Amino acid sequence: MFDTIRKYVTGFRSSASTKEAVGGEKRAHNLFEAAAAYVSARAEDDEDRIDEAAGWVSPEALSFGVSELACRAVIVLARERDESPRTVARDLLGLPVS
């Protein structure tokens, strides 16, 4: 099972098709860099940055990274609020507490 997950994540890292010049060298964007850039651009409603970050990795990789970022954010907020992650997630989405 872990081998499958490792291959899946490794595939995301190696599938980045867009390269960025950094100090004259080219490097692939990490899926978590893409997710962070994408989510922050969405929060700021910056369409150019949204499109740019979305092109750094495959759609599947971006989805995985955004999901991981959401999980981590909910956990941090739940700890800060001393509430359950479920309560925090529902509150962020404006859903009634169940």
Side-chain angles (χ1 to χ4, degrees):
M1 179 170 94
F2 291 111
D3 288 334
T4 302
I5 294 170
R6 189 177 311 114
K7 287 177 188 175
Y8 191 65
V9 172
T10 302
F12 284 149
R13 290 180 182 155
S14 64
S15 69
S17 60
T18 304
K19 307 284 184 184
E20 174 184 87
V22 177
E25 295 180 24
K26 300 230 181 215
R27 70 174 184 86
H29 289 280
N30 176 296
L31 71 104
F32 297 116
E33 289 175 318
Y38 180 82
V39 169
S40 63
R42 291 275 317 263
E44 296 170 356
D45 200 26
D46 185 334
E47 288 294 326
D48 291 334
R49 285 183 35 228
I50 290 169
D51 293 341
E52 179 184 0
W56 289 351
V57 295
S58 71
E60 296 83 8
L62 184 60
S63 177
F64 178 83
V66 169
S67 177
E68 185 64 23
L69 178 58
C71 289
R72 292 178 187 196
V74 167
I75 289 168
V76 168
L77 285 172
R79 288 179 182 158
E80 286 179 359
R81 296 179 181 185
D82 197 28
E83 296 177 344
S84 73
R86 181 180 182 166
T87 300
V88 171
R90 294 184 66 82
D91 181 53
L92 289 171
L93 293 171
L95 300 172
V97 177
S98 61

